Amino acid sequence: MSFISCGNGNAADTSNSNAVSTYTSGGNYKRISQTPDPNRKLENLDVKLKIEGMPNGTFYLMGIFAEQYFLVDSLRPVNGVVHFKRDEPVTPGLYYALYPDRSTAIQMIIDADQSFTLSTVDGDIVNSMKVNGSKETEMLYESMKFELGMQPEFNRVGAAFQNLQVGSAEHNALIEEQKQLMDKKVAHLESMFRKDPKSLFTAFKEAGQNPNIKYDFETNGSLSTAYLAELKKEYWTNTNFDDPRLMRTPVISNKLEKYYGSIMPQQPDSIKKYTDILINQCLNNDEYYKYFVNWITLKYEPTKTSLMDAEAVFVHMIQNYFTKERAFWQDTVQTYGIQMRAYEMASSLVGQVGPNVTADGIDGKTYSINDIKTPYIIVYMWNPECEHCAEQTPKLVDLYNNQSPKEFEVYGIAVNTEDDKWRDAVKKYGMPWISVFDPTNKAIYAKYYVDNTPELYILNPERKIIGKNLKVNQVYTIIDRDKEKRGN
């Protein structure tokens, strides 16, 4: 379910791609939020919503877990009041009273105080909001009003950056002005945090702030490598992983999206390194652990990402976190199945020596990858009835025939087919390279992983895998890049 919230849509700075970091040095941040007493008494839900100019129709009380919204209650106003009431408490978190047409969602923080009244005016939800009985929600709207009041100044400064040269006097002056605005905003928030460090408001808003790292730019205006490296390191510093309430706000899922979407370099080694650092912070919290492990693994599931070697991340996640000891939410059969899939991928990751394959060729002779003498080898996994193979195979034939001098050999492996179909296709395409087929699949099992055919791997002179999941038009890009590294 998607909808538009009033004010700041997620009430967290991580939802705003233009949010600006504070300007002190990283690594010294002392988190203010504290974990509340898990045994504190929760009131039964009793929330009254009064709106001047209230629209007709059914209102919906929505909760959230990670990025999934769920319906708590739905009802129509009676005598101008929407009254959400239960004989039990709801789980603490951020909730939304959703308009009948789903155009507006009125935010509220529900923790121990679950009996309160919200009064406001349609069309001016935030500035007109009055809260009676919920300190958490009162703090939420105080911060939202403050940020709305500052927004014109942030917009003015942001617009003034357009077309300015990085490092110019005008650019530096705007950086300083932006810094002063952020200092004012952060000081206001931190003063609120210190008033009630155990509140969900504090945990939620503090987690949503960017780390305290000074901006550093390259000459082209992009953020510097040093800044991004520090940002990766400090990104989760102000998130309290001992507080389960945060999972019932959008802040955790928003931070994950930003971390892996725009901060993390899309390189398997970096992804694995910083993922381990993140997950190690929440090994003792089952909800965070399960969510992070599943979210990251699904993001880099090989069929769902354009990352060249997504299998490297996927295998790392499965082998380290989807074990029978750690994947407590799965039964042993599910764990075994996903472990076997990772095992099948593990031998053909970029940077590893490509495994040898020995199989019978179309002439009845036996051929091995390790016997090939050309500097580079293309391992081409294909199927005679595959549409994409019909598109890519003729291109590979042309590329092969036009080599001068010959730099690569192709070791073509037919998969999931029958002997006569393989032979007919080899003749049809005029494949000039080594073509093999093993109807038992024993020769290739757990060696070169194939998600979808055709699958194209490139091995360099040391027979290390330097490219995979490639199209034919990318072959020389990968080979030339490897030759440059060698100084050829």
Side-chain angles (χ1 to χ4, degrees), residues 1 89 163 178 199 239 305 311 340 353 360 382 405 421 477:
M1 177 175 289
N163 302 318
Q178 196 176 53
S199 70
T239 305
T305 176
E311 287 93 342
M340 287 304 297
V353 173
D360 292 340
W382 65 287
K421 292 179 180 178
T477 299

Side-chain angles (χ1 to χ4, degrees), residues 378-448:
I378 293 175
V379 180
Y380 186 61
M381 321 279 284
W382 65 287
N383 178 279
E385 297 172 288
C386 153
E387 291 183 9
H388 293 296
C389 300
E391 173 194 344
Q392 291 292 306
T393 301
K395 295 178 181 179
L396 186 57
V397 170
D398 288 343
L399 195 72
Y400 184 92
N401 288 334
N402 288 314
Q403 294 181 84
S404 182
K406 186 173 182 179
E407 289 190 295
F408 66 84
E409 182 59 81
V410 175
Y411 190 88
I413 305 172
V415 295
N416 300 325
T417 188
E418 298 169 4
D419 189 76
D420 58 340
K421 292 179 180 178
W422 163 56
R423 292 178 182 277
D424 289 346
V426 170
K427 294 176 183 177
K428 172 185 173 182
Y429 293 116
M431 293 182 180
W433 51 70
I434 299 168
S435 294
V436 301
F437 173 55
D438 177 5
T440 68
N441 279 334
K442 290 181 181 178
I444 62 170
Y445 177 69
K447 292 187 176 179
Y448 292 91

Side-chain angles (χ1 to χ4, degrees), residues 10 12-16 29 31 66-67 203-211 231 234-241 246 249-264 278 281 288 291-292 295 299:
N10 289 323
D13 289 2
T14 50
S15 67
N16 182 354
Y29 188 83
R31 196 181 66 230
E67 71 270 27
F204 172 47
K205 290 294 287 185
E206 187 176 30
Q209 303 308 302
N210 287 315
L231 182 60
E234 300 295 330
Y235 187 73
W236 297 95
T237 303
N238 48 9
T239 305
N240 186 354
F241 291 119
L246 290 179
T249 76
V251 70
I252 298 299
S253 61
N254 286 348
K255 291 191 73 150
L256 273 176
E257 288 286 355
K258 184 175 179 180
Y259 195 53
Y260 286 94
S262 60
I263 295 174
M264 185 77 67
L278 170 60
Q281 295 180 67
Y288 284 101
Y291 178 62
F292 286 160
W295 191 96
K299 181 173 179 64

